[in-house]
Every structure is written in C-alpha cells, then in structure tokens.
Amino acid sequence: MYFGSDNWAGAHPAIAQSLVTHAGGFAAAYGTSELDRKVERLFSEIFERDVAVFFVGTGTAANSLALTAADRPGGIAFCHREAHVAEDECGAPEYFMGGSRLYCVDGPLGRIDPANLEAAFARYEPASVHMGRPSAVTITQATEIGTIYEVDQIRQIAEITHARGLPLHMDGARFANAMVKLGVSPAEMTWKAGVDMLSFGATKNGCWCAEALVFFHPDKTADFPYMRKRAAQLFSKTRFVSAQLEAYFENGLWLDMAHNANAMAARLADAFRNAPATRLAWEPQANEVFPVMKADLAAKLKQAGVVFYDWPQPHGMAPLGDDEVLGRFVASFATTPDDVDAVARLLG
Amino acid sequence: MYFGSDNWAGAHPAIAQSLVTHAGGFAAAYGTSELDRKVERLFSEIFERDVAVFFVGTGTAANSLALTAADRPGGIAFCHREAHVAEDECGAPEYFMGGSRLYCVDGPLGRIDPANLEAAFARYEPASVHMGRPSAVTITQATEIGTIYEVDQIRQIAEITHARGLPLHMDGARFANAMVKLGVSPAEMTWKAGVDMLSFGATKNGCWCAEALVFFHPDKTADFPYMRKRAAQLFSKTRFVSAQLEAYFENGLWLDMAHNANAMAARLADAFRNAPATRLAWEPQANEVFPVMKADLAAKLKQAGVVFYDWPQPHGMAPLGDDEVLGRFVASFATTPDDVDAVARLLG
Amino acid sequence: MYFGSDNWAGAHPAIAQSLVTHAGGFAAAYGTSELDRKVERLFSEIFERDVAVFFVGTGTAANSLALTAADRPGGIAFCHREAHVAEDECGAPEYFMGGSRLYCVDGPLGRIDPANLEAAFARYEPASVHMGRPSAVTITQATEIGTIYEVDQIRQIAEITHARGLPLHMDGARFANAMVKLGVSPAEMTWKAGVDMLSFGATKNGCWCAEALVFFHPDKTADFPYMRKRAAQLFSKTRFVSAQLEAYFENGLWLDMAHNANAMAARLADAFRNAPATRLAWEPQANEVFPVMKADLAAKLKQAGVVFYDWPQPHGMAPLGDDEVLGRFVASFATTPDDVDAVARLLG
Amino acid sequence: MYFGSDNWAGAHPAIAQSLVTHAGGFAAAYGTSELDRKVERLFSEIFERDVAVFFVGTGTAANSLALTAADRPGGIAFCHREAHVAEDECGAPEYFMGGSRLYCVDGPLGRIDPANLEAAFARYEPASVHMGRPSAVTITQATEIGTIYEVDQIRQIAEITHARGLPLHMDGARFANAMVKLGVSPAEMTWKAGVDMLSFGATKNGCWCAEALVFFHPDKTADFPYMRKRAAQLFSKTRFVSAQLEAYFENGLWLDMAHNANAMAARLADAFRNAPATRLAWEPQANEVFPVMKADLAAKLKQAGVVFYDWPQPHGMAPLGDDEVLGRFVASFATTPDDVDAVARLLG
C-alpha cells in the first residue's frame, strides 16, 4: 500500500517496452535524431501550436531553467509560498539563476491569490535598483497540495503578469492529472490561458525519466540551448527520453494513467471522508489526498505497511488538534482499487 | 556505418530489458530504494573499497559536480587543454562552481604532461589572493583523443597533485574502454593510483543514461547531496539508473561491451594503416580512431554513408597538408565487424 | 532641511582632513600598510578581543560577503522580512552566495521574533536535501525602521542560532547609533551577546566610504581573503579607508557623531509627537523617525524643501487612513537643531 | 625609493583637497547628486560623445562588470594570456559572470596578436552548443607589461571583434599613461578606434579610489544599474568619487600626473639601459620598467630599500640566465627624479 509519492511507482510497461524497441540501431545524439524530431512534432500537435521543446533530466531542472530563461539582473520570480520551487528544490532555481530570487506569495488552497500577486508587484513599483525587479511568475498545476487552478484562474494570473510585460511559467509536474480533471485540452490549460513556458512532467505519470521544458514562443529561445548545456542537462542519447514520450502519447496512454491516478485518489478520499476518526483537510482535485487523522490512527496505518508522508501544515491552515496529524497520500498510474481498499479497511 | 560517436548507439538489449524487469511495483524514490542500495554496494565490491556513489544525469554533470565538490573560493582546476571539461561542456564546470576556473595544461597525445603540471602549479606558489589558488586536477581516461594514461602516469599526476593537498579527479566517460585496454582492475586504475573522485560513465558503453560520481573518500561527502540536488541532478525514480547498472555489471557485460568497442576500433585502425591514402594521426588505444585522410577520400566516405566527424587538430600536432583532413571514428558496443569492413572497402 | 537619509550628508571635516594628511608618501597596497595594521589593531582594542577586519566598499558588500562566508550548499540565511539584505540590496546576498537564499522571518517593530525564528528553523528539521538547510541568521542593528535590539534580545537570537551550530551576523550599518542609544560597549553589543560577524558601517555616520567586515573568530577566516578579492572588494589604496577610520575612532568622534544624529532624531520626534496632525508610527530609538502624516501636510513639507521619503508600510502595521502617509526622516552627524526646528515650524 | 606599484602612492593633494571641499552640505545619494551629474557630463565632454558612466569601487569591478554586461549563456571572453583579468583578479570576472569563462590568447609584448585572435575565434565557428560561444574581447591599455597598443592595433582588434558582432572592452587601469604616450585624445584611443566599453582607472594615477565603467553606447545599458547594485558596487556617497574626478580632470591634472609617471619610468629605463649588469627585458612605453638583473644586484637593491617586485616571465620570453631575475618597477604621479636617481646610483 504505497502512497508515498507518485514517483514511488516505476514505469508503465508500454513505456519500458518502447525503450526496448528503440534500443537497437544508431541515431544522432544530443536531440537531433529522427525520433527526437518526431516527438517534438508531437508536442506541437498536442498543443495545437508550434512550440519549442527541450528535454531535461528532472522537474527541478525544467523549473529552474524556465526561471533562468526569464531572468534578468536583479530579477525576482514570484511563486506560491508552498510551491515546489520554493520548498523542495534545495535552491536550484536560485542556483541556476545565479543569484536572482524567489518571492513567495500567499493564497488559499495552494493557489496564488491574484490580489496578493498584485500587491506583491506593487511593492516593486516604481522600479528601484535597490529592490530589484520582477522577472516572472510561476504557478504549479496541480498545486503542491493537490488542488487545481481553474482555467479562468490561470488567465487571471496571466493577465496580471503580462500587464508587467513578464512571462508566466507553469510547473506541470502533475500536468496530466490537472488537465484530465479540468476536462480541457493541453492548449486550453496553457497558452490559450496565457502560459508562456511549461515544465511538462511525465515522470510522475508513468515514465521512467521524461521531463520537457516547453516554450510557447519558440522565437525567444535562441539562448536556451546554451543554458541547458551549461546546466549539464543535455542528454546524449536523447532517444531514451523520446522513446518514453512516444509511448506516453500513443493512444492517449498519458490520459488513461492520469485518470487512474485521480480516480484512485478520489476513491481514497471517500474512504477518509467516511471514516469515523478522519477528515479531509481540503477537497482533493487531482491525485493527492491530505487527510487529518488522529495520531494513533496514523501510527496504526504505518505499522500496517501503508506508506504515506506526514505533511507540514500550509500557512494559513487552521491549527490541528494536539493529537492530530496531517498526512499526504499520492496515487499513481499504478495504484489499484485493492491498494485503496486495503487502506480503507484500516480506517475502520 | 555509424562512427559518429559511441553515444549514437542505443542501449544493450540486456540493459533495456532490465528496465522492463524493474518497471513494476513500488520503491522508495530519490536514491533510497533497495535496488539503489544494492547497486551502491556493487560499486564498493567492484572498487574493492567503501565508496560513495551518486547518480547524475550526464557526464558533464558528474565532472562539473566533482570539480565543485573540490572547489574553494578563488579556486582553479587544472585539466588538459583538450579535455572535455574545457572544450565540450559549454562552461558547465565554471557554471556549477559559480565562477571558479579551469587552467589548461598542455601535453602530448591528450595527456597532461607532468612537468607542465608542475610548472602550472609553480605559477601559483606562493599563494596570492590576486592569482587565486589551485583546487583540483582532472584527467580524462581514456583521453579525448582516444589515448590512455598508463597506471604509472596516473600515479605520477596524483603525486604532484597530492603534494599540494589537492584531490585528483578522473573523467571516466570511457572508463571501461581504458580499463580493459590496460588489463587492470577498477581499483588499480583509480584509488590505488591516487584518484580521489571518478566520473563513472556507462552511457557511452551501452547504457541508456547511467552516470555516477564515485568518491573514494566517502567521509568527505557530507555536503554533496545538497550540491547534487541544487544542481537539479537528483532523479526521483533512481531505480531506472540502478536497473541499468545492475545489468551493466552482471556477468561482466560492461567489460564485454568495452572489449568489443576497442576491438572494432583496432580493426578499423588496421584498415586505415593499410590503406594507400591514409595514415593514423596517432595510435589508438581505446575505441576511437583518428585517421588523416585526403579530403576527397573523406568526402567519398561521407557520401557513401559513413558517419564520422572532422576533428580540429590538437595543439602541438604537426600541421596537416592542404588537402588533408583529420577524422574521428568512434566504435561502440554495437559496432560490428561488418560495419568496419564496409568502411575498409571504401578505403580502397 | 535634508532628512532623506544619513548618506545625504558628506564627511566630517576631521575625516576628510585625515585623507589629506595621509595623501603623501608611499605605502604598501592591498591592506598591508602600517596604517592599515594600526587601524586593524584599533578594532581589536575597541572590541576587546582579537578580531579579523576586512575593509570593503559598501555595506551591501559587507553583508553579502558575511553571509557568503557562512554559506554552504543548499544554504538558507534567516533575516527579518524588512531587513536591508532582503529589501534593498538587489539580490546581492544571493548573487554573492551563488544561489543560496534568504528566508524572511516576521517580527514586530523591525526585529526578528524569537518564536518565529524557532518556528522557521523547525521547518528545516530534520534536515532534508529537498528543502535545503539553514546557514546563518542576520539581524540589523539599528533595524530598518529605526528600532533597536536590546542586548538581551540579541542574546536570545544568538542562543537559538548557536543551538543549530550556526553563526549570527549583525548588519551594523547604523552600529554606532544603536550602541550609544543602548549605552553599552562595542563588545557588549556584539560578541559578548553572541554575534559572530559584524558589518561595521561608518559611512552613514560621517565617513566618506568606510565599511568593514569584522569576524570575532579570526581563525575561521582562511578563505575570506579570496572571497573578498573575487568579489572585487579589495581596494588597492586601502589607506584611504584606514585614514578615515583612524580619525573616526580618535577622541570618540564616532560616538559624538552618533549622539548628534540620535539627538536630532529625538528632537524631530518630539516635534511630530506634539504637532496637531501627525503621530509617530512607532517610537524612534536611533536616528530615524517615522511619522504618520496627513497627505497634504506631507506635500506641504516637500514643497517647502524638506527632503524625506515616503515609506512602505511594514508588514503587520495597522493600515493607514486614506489620506495618511508614512514618512521616513533620517538625521545624521551633520543635522543641526536649526534643521529640525525649521521642520517643526512647518508642522504648525 | 618605492617602485612597488603605482598604487603605493597616495592621492594628489588637489584630489584630497577636493574631498575636503565637498565634505559639507547635503546631496542626493547613489549617484544622483548635482556633482555626480556634472562629472558625468565631464566624461561626455572629454570623450566627445554621449557616454554612460558608472562609478565602481575597484578596477577589478569595472572589468568584471564590463564582461558581465557583454556576457551571454555559454559565453567566452577573449583576453591576452597575461591580462590582469586572467592573472590578477582571483576569478572575479568569472564569478561576476556566473560561470562564463575567459579564453587566453597569446601575443608578443603583452598585446593580443590579431592572427591569434582570429584563430581563437575560428575554433568557435560554426557555433556549437558544446563549445560555448564568444561574448567579448578585452584588451589592456597600457598592458600588464607596460607596453601600449597603437591606435591602429586597437582598430585591428576591434574589426576582428566587431566582425563577429561582439563588443570590445578596454581595461584602462593605466589609461592616462597610455594616452599621453600615444599623444592622442581620449576619443581617438577608444570609441573612434572601435572600443565599446572602457574601464577608466584613475586610482593608480593619483586618486584615492576612483574607477568608472564607461559605455560608449549608452542605449545598451538599461540592465546595468541592476548589475552594479547586485554586485555591491553602488556607493551611497558617490560624491566622494565625483569630487576626486572633478579635481582629476581640472586643468589637465590627470595628464600632468601621467606625464610625470611616464617620464620617471623613462628616466629609470635609461638607468637600467646604461648600467653594466642590467638590460631591459623590453622597451617600456608607459610607467612600468622591466629590467633583467643579476640576482645579486636585485638583492642589493632590495637591501638598500628599493621596493620593486620580482616578476614571472611572460610566456614566450627567452629564458633568463640562471643567475638572472626579472624585476618590475612602477613609477607614479608621486615619483620624483631623486627617487629614480637614487636607484640609478645603486646600479653602479
């Protein structure tokens, strides 16, 4: 009963098999093979627009390089206070930007509050050399606490961002989970709503290692190949990424996997909702469930072999009771109803 | 007839298959799974010593992080003038070190000349805050031009380096090719000869993507996990690397693959040696061959579909004739005698 | 009537004169002259302890290099949310640290609240490679809003900091103003209370350009000369700084100047306290006064030639009325009672 | 008899006096005072063109920030192998650029050889993401070994540089010394010959601390104020620099001081030329003299109180005899004929 994270799952058999299929023969290295080109075209088709796609090794790399691409001297990138870039990347964005900084904006349920974002921008107006200057905004979709920005909410953030001439980045480590929940197209959730750069994550959703940085304005990426290479993120045998993504997109596999993860999370949420001694800290919208449990129940679950993480309370959340803990349970493409029901039975 | 680089080959079937085998089930992420631990122990066995092993995404990352681990303010890392870190990594070492620099040392046949290294160190003695100060030495084994340091040559470089209290790093992008040529053990070619850090490359030798940074003094790596994470080089599903390496080491597969690559390079070298209008620029020692050809022969080869690269002349090499070009041909685990013989026939 | 900042004043005549006195003759450069050594010894006398002193060009440099000296990979330096390092240095600390970050802690009246600092540390316990790790704490004395840490408050912060094995830095851009207000010795306000590094600012208090970074543990500064030089902060003719500081310390000139600045601020505060349409946002403790004024009064002052800045409201301050503004008035060594009284008359 | 460096001299009395003159009164900080504006206009007059001028603290800062302003991801700045940026700044250029690198070009007598520069550029053509890409060229005038680029030589370097669309920077730490030697105007030695950025050094030529970065294309400096501030190089009381420079330019004081330094160097060169046991390593052209001496003569000079530095032999210089040393003697605005003659007498 593994709900530690979606990256505790391995790879979907079709994706692993694609690596076998493409293992033979010779192909140009460093992203220039025919298969690489084919997968790049797939991205443009899927997003209904010419896009520039760059594979990188980790979601952290995609996020950090996106913010670096948008950076300028004295730059400040705005993110939610509990964003992955701020909380879980050991300073990689700042390290890659070479000293520019993140500014954390609050907002309920893991989403940047537009009024707070406006207020944060206002602090930097008029421009002052002492304070530095905004460079970008980044949102996480789905958020770090398993909620989702509605398309209109994305658009609202984008308008505030674009009004300052700045780009909007989306950390899509759980892109597919959010998209299938909203029931919109990739284009609708991104550039049609004002997103300029996307960290497209496929690793958490059934790949071994497949992360891509997607630019919706390919004409602005002349410097980017150098940024990626000097950050040691240019793979030599890029077809090992392309092969995964080819299978990922084939016959809607990526959507099926995201649907399963979300459905298993919903099933698990029901279990917590109905159990006597637990409640949901907030409504899950993608593949993550955050229940509040009595501490002894949490201990009992762990003893029974249920893997999940204790989670720090988000800023602004009402304090827990003394004997309560907040847990995080993540479902993946590989989670089964049996996995969920086994947990449910333990909730009594 | 693909001799562009050893990274034009894909993955050995056994390695791709291992990724299928390990695709199912759940396992701890970020390098803490049982398989990860098992492969770490394999490294200690293979190197006959407790080592600390960190997987990263690219050889460039391994090299850059090794030099970063050894760096200090005002630091200067010494390398050969044609080293990969200096010529082919787009400044990644300097980028990761945050401003420290490389100092290029000359030497014939791709190897740092010990006397030149001594002289280079002497420039920085006594220490001066204006000049900066040495931080590390890095050698490439096999070198960028397909030659090899004998064990005694490594030891000599190590002694000069250690005399200054500095660590010696080995860029082992083609580690196995060098080792099987020398007929020594992993330990003999590394820590027993004075190497302190090793970029252990397996990608070029039949893996999809498997690079590891090996520290022979594990007690000095307390900071390293943070260095790797902030450089966006910590994979989540690390078992995708471990699975490759498990197969790589099994039954000596890695040695067999390196033997094949070297043998095919030797076979190709014979062809150039015996052909009327070509000669070897120097004797190949691993899996790379550098022939000097008449320009029209080179053109003919390319037209016939032989993939190889024109190569810039190393510093200090006698100038080519006006109608001559220097080529680089790289053999890999996947190169066959037929591939080589097809080239040989074209040499007339 | 110039209250824009204490750096709108020039230099005390005795300090300018000292630069004339020392202009002749030859002396070793880069901090090694006899005068440099003499002034270094003065610091050790003044602080009643062997200290290591490094001159730098700006307070920003002193702060940024102090945090760099304390940094480690994945490092996080803790400061008050309105600290100068966070608000007014254009990211210099992060730039110099090469990517490490600041974490802002709240607290009333410009001071870090110890409970908040404990809570901030607790977020990083146990250590996690994803979150990064604390590297230092920095406090500002006097604070950015003209308040002062009592010695016991410094000690409390130091204890929390040292309990994690971390160093405490003090940004002393207005060191003398705080010290004379507290009526304690330099030692009492620093290392005796647990301060490990001090940005000793003399520029704002009557020098032309004289900033020093003082380390109270000189044995830990072996790397620092390289950090300073690579940051382009090593002056060649260091005696131009030493000459200023020699005069600064002579006959307690520095204390007299700070006393004057504080007294003039107190006189101005009285004027605001007693004026009909103004109030003090909080009690000034050093040489800065923050009155809340009706907007039309502020406009009237400006029209009359009074130079001061509108100031953004600190976080947590009760909102101003619609027609109110917050002003900042700074007195300096050069401010006279006449300057103050001229403002007072305008307040009606 | 101090010939250690021109920065062993203090400040010209007129310059120190100007700091007294401007010490009183209040003025806007951070480069916005009337005096600052006046001195900026002086620069435009002197250079016969609208220029953008930024004061910084050290020549190292000016050089490093100029190269940073020209930098781009994967950037490589080309300099002479013995350039100050490469040999004497502890990696500050790389540190400020955040990882971009210097590429050293050889050339006789301290000057970049145009053919070598062409060859160096050719290594990076066509552009390759692995190799990085050129970002700028920097020359030193006068050079590190006291020689001078003729205006035509500057133009030649500029043409090669501009042909790649890159900017040319001049490190003018000894700008005035070179200019008065050539007998040309500031404009003729810079932008009229193709220089795009200039580190204008006044410290070595009689100021206390006055360095400026001059951009000849002011429209390209929008980002620069942020670059300077985040590098901690924005002084608060900028008038302390402006006051020095006002006096520096008044009545040609700067030219007089440079003339004196050069004349004293020439006088000293004559002494070495005529002495029995010494010879000039090369002809001095500005204010530095490099004699080759028998080791026992050098020792005798030092014992007699003559301050000068032993100097490492430039690359390509014919080896010294076993009992010979290379010395560097630098004259300054403050050097007198008596100082020189005292040395001459010791030469026998």
Side-chain angles (χ1 to χ4, degrees), chain C residues 23-298:
Chain C
F26 296 86
Y30 298 115
T32 58
S33 76
E34 281 177 37
L35 182 60
D36 298 326
R37 298 294 185 218
K38 177 185 168 191
V39 171
E40 283 176 27
R41 283 192 305 271
L42 273 179
F43 271 91
S44 289
E45 283 170 28
I46 285 165
F47 282 97
E48 306 170 44
R49 179 187 180 117
D50 268 349
V51 300
V53 182
F54 297 89
F55 301 150
V56 294
T58 61
T60 294
N63 292 337
S64 300
L65 286 173
L67 296 181
T68 300
D71 193 31
R72 47 186 184 166
I76 301 164
F78 293 71
C79 64
H80 188 269
R81 201 204 280 230
E82 267 109 24
H84 199 264
V85 289
E87 295 264 288
D88 278 297
E89 300 186 345
C90 196
E94 294 95 334
Y95 183 59
F96 277 22
M97 290 190 292
S100 287
R101 70 168 58 165
L102 302 178
Y103 186 101
C104 293
V105 179
D106 285 306
L109 290 173
R111 302 185 201 103
I112 290 178
D113 181 83
N116 289 347
L117 180 61
E118 284 278 15
F121 275 135
R123 290 182 63 79
Y124 294 93
E125 292 161 346
S128 143
V129 76
H130 303 281
M131 299 193 73
R133 54 187 171 167
S135 61
V137 174
T138 176
I139 57 175
T140 316
Q141 177 79 323
T143 75
E144 286 301 286
I145 62 165
T147 56
I148 289 177
Y149 286 88
E150 300 288 327
V151 169
D152 278 350
Q153 291 173 319
I154 297 170
R155 188 171 291 116
Q156 201 177 354
I157 299 286
E159 280 166 7
I160 296 169
T161 304
H162 293 165
R164 269 79 181 182
L166 302 178
L168 177 61
H169 167 255
M170 175 182 281
D171 173 0
R174 296 187 175 96
F175 183 85
N177 302 93
M179 196 185 74
V180 301
K181 171 71 178 185
L182 289 177
V184 298
S185 73
E188 285 165 343
M189 201 170 80
T190 56
W191 63 270
K192 287 186 174 175
V195 173
D196 302 290
M197 302 180 286
L198 168 68
S199 295
F200 182 89
T203 305
K204 283 187 161 73
N205 190 37
C207 287
W208 269 128
C209 169
E211 302 288 320
L213 182 46
V214 181
F215 290 91
F216 296 110
H217 308 286
D219 54 311
K220 293 185 180 167
T221 58
D223 281 347
F224 193 77
Y226 296 90
M227 290 184 181
R228 178 176 58 171
K229 177 66 188 178
R230 76 170 176 183
Q233 292 287 341
L234 177 58
F235 289 121
S236 54
K237 296 184 176 176
T238 31
R239 61 172 145 150
F240 99 88
V241 179
S242 296
Q244 294 176 67
L245 291 173
E246 186 188 43
Y248 187 68
F249 289 132
E250 197 155 298
N251 298 323
L253 175 61
W254 66 309
L255 308 178
D256 293 344
M257 292 193 289
H259 271 300
N260 181 77
N262 289 3
M264 291 304 102
R267 189 181 184 105
L268 184 63
D270 276 343
F272 282 113
R273 210 179 273 114
N274 299 328
T278 68
R279 58 191 158 88
L280 294 174
W282 51 84
E283 281 303 308
Q285 296 186 279
N287 63 322
E288 299 183 274
V289 183
F290 292 80
V292 176
M293 298 172 284
K294 297 290 178 197
D296 54 2
L297 175 60

Side-chain angles (χ1 to χ4, degrees), chain B:
Chain B
M1 293 163 293
Y2 294 92
F3 295 89
S5 180
D6 27 13
N7 55 36
W8 282 54
H12 189 279
I15 284 164
Q17 190 53 47
S18 183
L19 286 171
V20 173
T21 306
H22 287 289
F26 296 86
Y30 299 116
T32 59
S33 75
E34 282 178 36
L35 182 61
D36 297 326
R37 298 295 185 218
K38 178 186 168 189
V39 170
E40 284 176 28
R41 282 192 306 271
L42 273 179
F43 270 92
S44 289
E45 283 170 27
I46 286 165
F47 283 97
E48 305 171 43
R49 180 187 178 118
D50 268 347
V51 299
V53 182
F54 297 89
F55 302 150
V56 294
T58 60
T60 295
N63 292 337
S64 300
L65 286 172
L67 296 180
T68 300
D71 194 32
R72 45 187 188 168
I76 301 164
F78 293 70
C79 64
H80 188 269
R81 198 204 280 232
E82 269 110 21
H84 199 265
V85 289
E87 294 264 285
D88 278 298
E89 300 188 343
C90 197
E94 294 95 333
Y95 183 60
F96 276 22
M97 291 191 291
S100 287
R101 73 169 57 166
L102 301 178
Y103 186 100
C104 293
V105 179
D106 285 306
L109 290 174
R111 303 184 198 103
I112 291 177
D113 181 84
N116 289 346
L117 181 61
E118 283 279 14
F121 274 134
R123 290 182 62 81
Y124 295 94
E125 292 159 347
S128 143
V129 76
H130 303 281
M131 299 194 71
R133 54 187 170 164
S135 61
V137 173
T138 176
I139 55 174
T140 315
Q141 178 79 324
T143 75
E144 287 299 287
I145 61 164
T147 56
I148 289 177
Y149 286 89
E150 300 289 326
V151 170
D152 276 351
Q153 291 173 317
I154 298 170
R155 186 171 293 116
Q156 202 177 353
I157 299 286
E159 278 166 9
I160 296 168
T161 304
H162 293 166
R164 271 77 182 182
L166 302 178
L168 176 61
H169 168 254
M170 175 181 282
D171 173 0
R174 295 188 176 95
F175 184 85
N177 303 94
M179 195 183 76
V180 301
K181 170 73 177 184
L182 289 176
V184 298
S185 72
E188 285 166 344
M189 200 171 79
T190 56
W191 63 270
K192 287 187 174 175
V195 173
D196 301 290
M197 302 179 287
L198 168 68
S199 295
F200 182 89
T203 304
K204 282 186 163 73
N205 190 36
C207 287
W208 268 128
C209 169
E211 302 288 320
L213 183 46
V214 181
F215 291 92
F216 296 110
H217 308 284
D219 53 311
K220 293 186 180 166
T221 58
D223 281 348
F224 193 77
Y226 297 90
M227 291 185 179
R228 178 174 60 171
K229 176 67 188 178
R230 76 170 175 183
Q233 292 286 342
L234 176 57
F235 289 120
S236 53
K237 296 182 177 176
T238 31
R239 61 171 144 151
F240 97 88
V241 178
S242 296
Q244 294 176 67
L245 291 172
E246 186 188 42
Y248 187 69
F249 289 134
E250 198 156 297
N251 298 321
L253 174 62
W254 66 309
L255 307 178
D256 294 344
M257 293 192 291
H259 271 301
N260 182 75
N262 289 5
M264 291 305 101
R267 188 182 187 107
L268 185 63
D270 277 342
F272 282 112
R273 210 178 272 113
N274 299 327
T278 67
R279 57 188 160 91
L280 294 175
W282 50 84
E283 282 302 307
Q285 297 185 279
N287 63 322
E288 298 184 275
V289 183
F290 292 80
V292 176
M293 298 172 284
K294 298 290 177 196
D296 52 3
L297 174 61
K300 175 185 154 193
L301 291 179
K302 287 181 179 173
Q303 213 162 13
V306 182
V307 175
F308 65 95
Y309 285 115
D310 294 339
W311 208 250
Q313 291 179 62
H315 293 87
M317 179 186 175
L320 296 176
D322 275 353
D323 60 342
E324 289 182 330
V325 297
L326 178 65
R328 186 189 75 159
F329 292 70
V330 191
S332 75
F333 82 94
T335 306
T336 65
D338 283 355
D339 292 332
V340 174
D341 297 346
V343 175
R345 276 190 299 275
L346 289 163
L347 301 179

Side-chain angles (χ1 to χ4, degrees), chain A residues 24-42:
Chain A
F26 296 86
Y30 298 116
T32 58
S33 75
E34 281 177 37
L35 182 61
D36 297 326
R37 298 294 186 218
K38 177 186 168 189
V39 170
E40 284 176 29
R41 283 192 305 271
L42 272 179

